[in-house]
């Protein structure tokens, strides 16, 4: 049977844990799980067969850790070839009578991508593509991308799969207890991006037990129009007499997962701690359940790296100021490659309360492809708002969309055959909501009927490319009334017709209506109100226009979109030139903060360096650190702890602080002023674990807070950690582990340090740990995130 057809029509049973089971069967602490493909292939065949015999429809290969960054080409191919050969042998030997397929398992590369890490996006795509091509060569039938805790890396893996093969792709992310990925993405944001890019199955796995992930699954089911998968852990890890176990029994696991199948989950299995017995009972429990039909959600939605934005409920604001048309200063900035000016424009509009940023850098004097791509990447490093990629250059459009982290708004396509032929394939490949202009080869129709006909044509052609109308938003084109007194009437009626008769959302560049006339804000704000009454979904506008913002807040209050009129009251009570959202007011605009503090808070690396350099002319270096940089980092750190900021903002703030520190270090190295109160810390990812994302984040933050950090890297032997403690006189050691199979190596390291250097404190962290488990293996502290490690170090330092 065709695997896609099987998935559409059945409840699909996956396998369970691999590493945790192999560890119970002799896999040593720190030993790479995938190495058993070559050294113990009979054990891999045995485990796969047990899962097939238990009822699994899809068993994934033992290749989670087999990455192109970890192995040379020859070894990598041998590992993958052996893994797929073992899966085939297991299927052939299985006594199960169900449909059986072989999936190829892909895990994280273990490093953060730029701008938050060192790995370039295209290098990540290439690394994933290398293993996927080998999987196809040796007979995989479905690609499984799993346990991803970074949305950008997830995109790189899915893009590699789509470009390297035509197999179905299942994408599963690891969500934390707060219901988000490590880098801040919500389930709705991931569903928007992954479904937009064509993932066949989306879901969640690992990290927690089924009940702790119920909220995540409910959000995925509400957001997704494709099958949803679920592979939770068997609860949380615990230890008893030195043995690790998970605290949810097979019966408890099956009860929770089966209930979610009844709610609509289609693809189920288990992750860490689950065994063939869990899968046998799960298969039996769901055998007679009727699959819940998968319904089209019809959500018009875009997403940034951390949140989704939905069209159609409340009008949305799209900031228009990153567009050189009529803006001399922005034109100058683009010609001079002044990215900082663009970042300032983006952040200032975010502070004014827009929902989306338009990004247009089209000038004849620049390389638009490079500039647009750079602007998109840099803006996403300092703002969490979704972006509208605004260009008529399809080469620039594709380049920017490829690097965009999320699901973007694409501006634009029109009814010309040439335009649709160029834009729709790009939109289909990368996902996005396409702005469609109601014009064609004959120009802009003067009538409502003409614009409606073009909209209908665009919908028909888009469908031929596999793009549904939910991913098209129509611009009925606001024309200046100074040239045609009926222009606004036609635009407004066209809005209503498209909204009511075609069921599509709409957008307008509102200010065009007043071109050539005096006191334009008067016309613009009144036209805006009329457009909203006629069904306008989003406006491309200037958020610094007080009359426009008055119209917006008034409309929402009058239409019951503003609970207790709180936003309206906030706007009306404030200085008209300082309208802020509450979170921005609290965190970003602290009264009296200096230019350097603002640069650090906003993550402006270049500006932070320049401000520090200027301040050094009159302020002592260490005073700048203590009175400027550390307070700014604390503002962002507090926002992170209170869930108002997420990891990307925390990292970019740290990078900005680092830029300032570099200037300060230069002065310190040329003076007699020395760093005081040194507090040496050693950090490492434990033996056998090659994932060092979390450790690297901890290092960056600790260094910015003035700690003397020795980073031993990844896959570090316990003896090397002890040696580094003695060499540096470290008072604190930080240990990281992502994989369950490497936790014993962490315990071994802790035991050695406590025995040989009992005065040293040890803090641990990683996706497989929790406070109770950390205590059981002897750690002095557990850190759920990087900021908590900083706080713990500060408490020790006193």
């Amino acid at each position: 049977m065709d695997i896609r057809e099987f998935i559409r029509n059945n409840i699909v049973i996956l396998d369970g844990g691999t590493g945790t089971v192999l560890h119970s069967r002799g896999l040593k602490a720190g030993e790479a799980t995938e190495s058993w493909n070559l050294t113990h292939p009979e054990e891999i065949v045995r485990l796969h067969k047990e899962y097939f015999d238990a009822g699994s429809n899809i068993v994934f290969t033992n290749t989670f850790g087999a990455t192109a960054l970890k192995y040379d080409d020859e070894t990598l191919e041998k590992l993958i070839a052996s893994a797929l050969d073992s899966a085939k042998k297991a299927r052939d030997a299985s006594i199960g009578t169900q449909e059986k397929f072989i999936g190829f398992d892909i895990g994280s590369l273990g490093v953060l991508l730029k701008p938050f890490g060192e790995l370039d996006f295209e290098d990540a795509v290439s690394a994933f593509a290398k293993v996927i091509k080998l999987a196809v060569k040796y007979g995989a039938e479905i690609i499984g991308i799993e346990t991803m805790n970074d949305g950008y890396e997830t995109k790189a893996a899915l893009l590699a799969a789509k470009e390297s093969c035509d197999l179905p792709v299942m994408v599963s992310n690891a969500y934390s207890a707060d219901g988000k990925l490590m880098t801040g993405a919500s389930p709705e944001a991931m569903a928007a991006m992954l479904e937009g890019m064509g993932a066949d199955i989306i879901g969640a796995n690992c990290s927690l037990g089924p009940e702790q992930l119920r909220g995540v699954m409910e959000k995925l089911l509400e957001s997704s129009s494709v099958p949803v998968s679920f592979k939770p852990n068997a609860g949380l890890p615990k230890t008893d007499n030195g043995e690790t176990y998970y605290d949810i029994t097979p019966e408890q696991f099956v009860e929770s997962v089966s209930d979610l199948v009844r709610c609509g989950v289609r693809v189920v299995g288990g992750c860490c701690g689950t065994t063939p017995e869990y899968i046998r009972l799960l298969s039996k429990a769901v055998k007679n359940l009727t699959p819940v039909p998968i319904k089209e959600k019809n959500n018009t939605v875009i997403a940034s790296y951390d949140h989704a934005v939905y069209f159609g409920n409340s009008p949305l604001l799209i900031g228009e100021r990153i567009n050189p048309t009529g803006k001399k200063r922005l034109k100058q900035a683009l010609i001079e490659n002044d990215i900082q000016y663009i970042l300032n424009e983006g952040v200032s509009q975010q502070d004014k309360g827009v929902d989306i940023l338009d990004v247009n850098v089209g000038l004849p004097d620049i390389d638009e492809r490079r500039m647009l791509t750079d602007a998109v990447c840099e803006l996403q490093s300092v703002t969490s708002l979704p972006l509208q990629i605004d260009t008529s250059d399809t080469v620039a459009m594709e380049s920017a969309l490829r690097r965009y982290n999320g699901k973007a708004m694409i501006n634009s396509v029109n009814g010309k055959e040439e335009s649709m032929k160029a834009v729709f394939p790009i939109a289909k490949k990368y996902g996005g909501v396409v702005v469609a202009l109601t014009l064609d080869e004959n120009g802009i129709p003067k009538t409502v009927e003409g614009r409606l006909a073009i909209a209908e044509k665009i919908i028909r052609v888009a469908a031929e490319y596999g793009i549904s109308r939910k991913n098209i938003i129509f611009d009925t084109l606001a024309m200046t009334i100074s040239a045609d007194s009926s222009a606004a009437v036609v635009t407004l009626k066209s809005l209503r017709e498209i909204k009511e008769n075609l069921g599509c959302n709409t957008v307008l560049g509102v200010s065009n209506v007043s071109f050539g006339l005096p006191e334009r804000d008067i016309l613009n704000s009144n036209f805006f109100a009329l457009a909203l009454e006629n069904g306008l979904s989003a406006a491309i506008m200037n958020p610094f226009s007080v009359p426009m913002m008055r119209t917006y807040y008034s409309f929402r209050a009058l239409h019951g979109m503003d609970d207790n009129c709180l936003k309206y009251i906030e706007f009306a009570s404030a200085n008209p030139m300082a309208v802020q959202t509450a979170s921005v007011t609290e965190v970003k605009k602290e009264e009296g903060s200096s230019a350097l503090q603002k640069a650090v808070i906003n993550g402006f690396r270049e500006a932070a360096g320049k401000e520090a350099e200027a301040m050094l002319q009159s302020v002592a270096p260490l005073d700048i650190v203590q009175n400027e940089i550390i307070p700014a980092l604390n503002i962002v750190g507090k926002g992170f702890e209170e869930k108002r900021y997420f990891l990307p903002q925390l990292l970019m703030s740290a990078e900005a602080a680092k830029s300032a520190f570099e200037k300060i270090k230069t002065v310190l190295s040329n003076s007699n002023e020395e760093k005081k109160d040194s507090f040496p810390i050693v950090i490492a990812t434990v033996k056998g674990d090659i994932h060092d994302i979390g450790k690297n984040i901890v290092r960056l933050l600790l260094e910015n807070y003035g700690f003397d950090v020795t980073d031993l890297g990844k896959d570090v032997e316990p003896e090397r950690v002890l040696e580094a403690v003695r060499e540096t006189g470290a008072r604190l050691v930080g240990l990281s582990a992502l994989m369950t199979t490497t936790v014993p190596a962490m315990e071994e390291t802790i035991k050695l340090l406590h025995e040989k250097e009992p005065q040293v404190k040890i803090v641990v962290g990683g996706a497989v740990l929790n406070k109770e488990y950390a205590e059981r293996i002897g750690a002095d502290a557990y850190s759920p995130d990087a900021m908590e490690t900083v706080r713990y170090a500060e408490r020790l330092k006193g």
Side-chain angles (χ1 to χ4, degrees):
M1 179 182 288
D2 176 74
I3 188 169
R4 285 188 173 92
E5 180 183 348
F6 182 78
I7 293 168
R8 279 194 299 269
N9 299 318
N10 295 275
I11 296 168
V12 180
I13 305 298
L14 305 176
D15 55 6
T18 296
T20 48
V21 174
L22 294 181
H23 183 70
S24 70
R25 296 179 180 182
L27 183 72
K28 297 177 183 177
E31 187 177 8
T33 306
E34 65 275 7
S35 69
W36 273 36
N37 293 337
L38 300 177
T39 60
H40 298 76
E42 71 286 349
E43 287 294 336
I44 304 303
V45 173
R46 173 190 167 197
L47 179 57
H48 289 337
K49 180 180 180 297
E50 287 174 355
Y51 280 126
F52 276 131
D53 289 348
S56 294
N57 299 115
I58 301 174
V59 166
F60 286 100
T61 53
N62 178 35
T63 48
F64 178 82
T67 76
L69 301 186
K70 184 177 179 180
Y71 295 101
D72 61 67
D73 290 353
E74 182 179 356
T75 304
L76 187 65
E77 182 161 4
K78 287 180 179 178
L79 283 170
I80 291 173
S82 179
L84 282 155
D85 181 62
S86 294
K88 291 174 186 176
K89 288 178 178 177
R91 177 169 61 180
D92 292 343
S94 173
I95 61 173
T97 59
Q98 76 279 11
E99 293 287 339
K100 306 183 195 71
F101 303 96
I102 295 171
F104 180 74
D105 194 35
I106 297 175
S108 169
L109 296 172
V111 293
L112 274 176
L113 276 57
K114 294 179 180 177
F116 311 121
E118 298 300 320
L119 187 66
D120 185 75
F121 178 81
E122 293 298 341
D123 290 336
V125 173
S126 296
F128 286 121
K130 181 174 288 187
V131 297
I132 290 166
K133 289 173 182 176
L134 288 171
V136 173
K137 177 179 178 180
Y138 290 102
E141 295 163 335
I142 181 172
I143 302 297
I145 299 165
E146 68 168 353
T147 324
M148 293 284 182
N149 55 20
D150 175 15
Y152 205 27
E153 185 183 17
T154 308
K155 175 174 180 173
L158 179 55
L159 185 60
K162 290 294 181 178
E163 291 182 338
S164 301
C165 71
D166 59 1
L167 298 178
V169 184
M170 184 182 94
V171 183
S172 182
N173 291 100
Y175 293 88
S176 302
D178 63 359
K180 298 178 183 294
L181 301 189
M182 178 187 71
T183 47
S186 67
E188 296 92 336
M190 292 307 299
M193 181 181 76
L194 297 174
E195 185 177 324
M197 290 181 65
D200 297 275
I201 304 168
I202 64 174
N205 79 291
C206 202
S207 65
L208 298 164
E211 287 304 314
Q212 292 96 328
L213 288 171
R214 179 177 289 272
V216 169
M217 298 311 300
E218 289 171 348
K219 290 177 180 178
L220 287 174
L221 288 169
E222 291 169 0
S223 307
S224 176
S225 300
V226 300
V228 171
S229 67
F230 192 30
K231 286 187 69 176
N233 288 347
L236 299 173
K238 296 185 176 182
T239 59
D240 184 24
N241 295 322
E243 294 295 322
T244 299
Y245 70 97
Y246 284 75
D247 64 0
I248 291 180
T249 66
E251 292 77 14
Q252 293 169 326
F253 179 89
V254 168
E255 182 180 357
S256 294
V257 175
S258 298
D259 186 53
L260 282 164
V261 171
R262 294 184 187 93
C263 294
V265 174
R266 275 296 193 89
V267 182
V268 289
C271 202
C272 299
T274 61
T275 66
E277 178 64 9
Y278 283 74
I279 301 305
R280 185 186 69 79
L281 293 177
L282 178 61
S283 176
K284 181 180 178 182
V286 303
K287 182 177 181 180
N288 295 318
L289 295 181
T290 301
V292 176
I294 298 167
K295 296 181 179 179
E296 175 60 56
K297 299 304 187 295
N298 291 318
N299 293 323
T300 299
V301 56
I302 60 174
S304 66
Y305 66 79
D306 76 336
H307 73 281
V309 171
Y310 292 85
F311 291 81
N313 298 322
S314 175
L316 302 175
L317 301 181
I318 304 173
E320 69 177 12
R321 291 174 61 84
I322 306 177
N323 187 321
T325 304
K327 300 181 182 70
K328 292 182 179 179
R329 179 64 186 89
L330 181 57
K331 288 181 180 178
Q332 179 185 350
L334 292 171
I335 292 170
E336 295 174 355
N337 196 34
D338 183 0
I339 289 291
Q340 185 60 52
Y341 183 84
I342 296 174
L343 300 185
N344 288 336
E345 286 290 338
V347 171
S348 66
Q349 291 181 94
Q350 174 179 269
D351 291 349
K352 284 294 182 182
V354 302
D355 304 288
I356 303 161
L357 294 176
D358 181 70
V359 186
N360 184 318
V361 299
L363 280 180
D365 304 321
I366 66 171
D367 178 350
E368 186 175 356
R369 183 201 65 79
R370 181 191 61 78
M371 178 57 77
L372 183 60
T373 305
D374 288 350
V376 165
C377 292
E378 291 292 335
L379 280 166
Q380 286 207 288
S381 74
V382 300
T383 174
S384 63
L385 294 181
L387 304 182
Q388 174 173 262
I389 296 173
D390 187 354
T391 179
S392 59
D393 183 336
T394 53
V395 174
M397 178 186 292
E398 177 163 16
S399 178
L401 281 171
R402 187 176 181 88
R403 300 301 287 262
Y404 180 76
N405 187 359
K407 181 184 179 185
M409 199 166 174
I410 304 168
N411 193 351
S412 60
V413 72
N414 60 56
K416 296 178 181 179
E417 294 295 334
E418 180 183 18
S419 174
M420 292 186 286
K421 186 177 181 179
V423 173
F424 282 149
I426 298 172
K428 176 62 177 175
K429 179 176 181 178
Y430 297 102
V433 169
V434 185
V435 174
L437 311 182
T438 51
L439 64 85
D440 61 9
E441 288 83 357
N442 298 316
I444 302 173
K446 297 287 187 180
T447 66
V448 174
E449 293 76 16
R451 297 187 195 186
L452 192 63
I454 291 174
E456 290 172 335
K457 178 176 70 172
I458 290 172
I459 290 172
R460 287 195 305 272
V461 176
E464 294 172 6
Y465 287 88
I467 298 172
S468 68
R469 69 177 64 204
K470 73 178 182 181
N471 285 317
I472 303 173
I473 183 167
F474 284 99
D475 185 340
T476 58
L477 300 168
M479 309 299 292
T480 177
I481 58 172
S482 64
D484 180 356
S485 60
S486 66
V489 175
V490 173
T491 298
L492 293 172
K493 287 183 177 180
S494 299
L495 280 180
R496 183 171 290 278
E497 286 294 314
I498 287 174
K499 185 81 170 182
E500 293 181 352
N501 295 331
L502 299 185
C504 293
N505 286 286
T506 54
V507 63
L508 280 178
V510 176
S511 61
N512 294 337
V513 75
S514 64
F515 186 78
L517 294 169
E519 300 295 336
R520 295 183 64 186
D521 266 351
I522 298 174
L523 279 172
N524 291 346
S525 59
N526 282 279
F527 177 66
F528 184 24
L530 292 171
L532 291 170
E533 284 294 342
N534 280 276
L536 181 66
S537 307
I540 304 172
M541 49 79 73
N542 177 13
F544 288 88
S545 167
V546 174
M548 290 288 284
M549 298 302 283
R550 283 179 183 146
T551 296
Y552 170 72
Y553 285 112
S554 298
F555 177 88
R556 293 186 74 253
L558 291 167
H559 284 75
M561 299 174 178
D562 184 0
D563 289 344
N564 299 315
C565 299
L566 291 178
K567 291 295 183 181
Y568 174 80
I569 292 169
E570 180 184 351
F571 171 81
S573 301
N575 183 313
M577 300 305 294
V579 181
Q580 313 287 336
T581 64
S583 62
V584 172
T585 301
E586 292 171 13
V587 180
K588 283 198 162 187
K589 296 295 179 182
E590 295 247 325
E591 185 176 354
S593 60
S594 67
L596 176 55
Q597 286 189 3
K598 289 177 180 177
V600 172
I601 290 167
N602 284 307
F604 293 162
R605 288 166 293 185
E606 184 179 344
K610 289 181 179 179
E611 293 296 338
E613 193 169 32
M615 193 171 283
L616 283 166
Q617 303 301 313
S618 58
V619 182
L622 292 181
D623 286 345
I624 296 175
V625 174
Q626 293 300 320
N627 301 328
E628 300 290 338
I629 297 176
I630 297 299
L633 288 171
N634 281 334
I635 289 171
V636 179
K638 181 181 177 183
F640 177 78
E641 290 166 336
E642 295 175 355
K643 304 299 182 185
R644 290 177 283 142
Y645 277 0
F646 296 101
L647 184 61
Q649 292 106 313
L650 187 68
L651 290 179
M652 292 314 300
S653 178
E655 287 291 346
K658 183 178 179 182
S659 177
F661 273 125
E662 291 302 319
K663 302 295 183 181
I664 292 169
K665 286 179 181 177
T666 301
V667 174
L668 287 175
S669 65
N670 296 324
S671 71
N672 293 324
E673 193 168 5
E674 296 180 356
K675 191 174 182 180
K676 301 175 183 178
D677 299 325
S678 175
F679 189 95
I681 299 174
V682 170
I683 62 174
T685 299
V686 299
K687 179 183 176 182
D689 206 316
I690 53 87
H691 301 87
D692 63 355
I693 293 175
K695 172 187 64 65
N696 291 344
I697 295 168
V698 169
R699 181 195 67 216
L700 178 62
L701 291 182
L702 286 171
E703 288 177 340
N704 277 340
Y705 273 82
F707 293 98
D708 183 10
V709 181
T710 298
D711 184 355
L712 301 180
K714 54 195 176 184
D715 191 17
V716 181
E717 296 277 352
E719 292 76 15
R720 177 67 189 105
V721 179
L722 175 62
E723 181 182 322
V725 167
R726 289 172 169 171
E727 289 173 351
T728 63
R731 295 166 58 187
L732 175 64
V733 171
L735 299 176
S736 173
L738 177 73
M739 301 168 66
T740 306
T741 53
T742 60
V743 173
M746 177 180 281
E747 186 174 8
E748 181 184 346
T749 305
I750 293 170
K751 183 178 180 181
L752 179 65
L753 290 172
H754 280 167
E755 179 184 339
K756 302 295 185 181
E757 298 290 338
Q759 78 284 357
V760 173
K761 297 296 183 181
I762 302 167
V763 58
V764 299
V768 296
L769 296 172
N770 55 49
K771 187 175 186 296
E772 181 183 357
Y773 197 31
E775 292 174 352
R776 285 176 179 270
I777 62 175
D780 297 290
Y782 163 68
S783 176
D785 55 56
M787 275 308 303
E788 179 55 34
T789 303
V790 172
R791 300 301 187 217
Y792 181 65
E794 287 180 324
R795 291 195 294 272
L796 289 179
K797 185 177 179 181

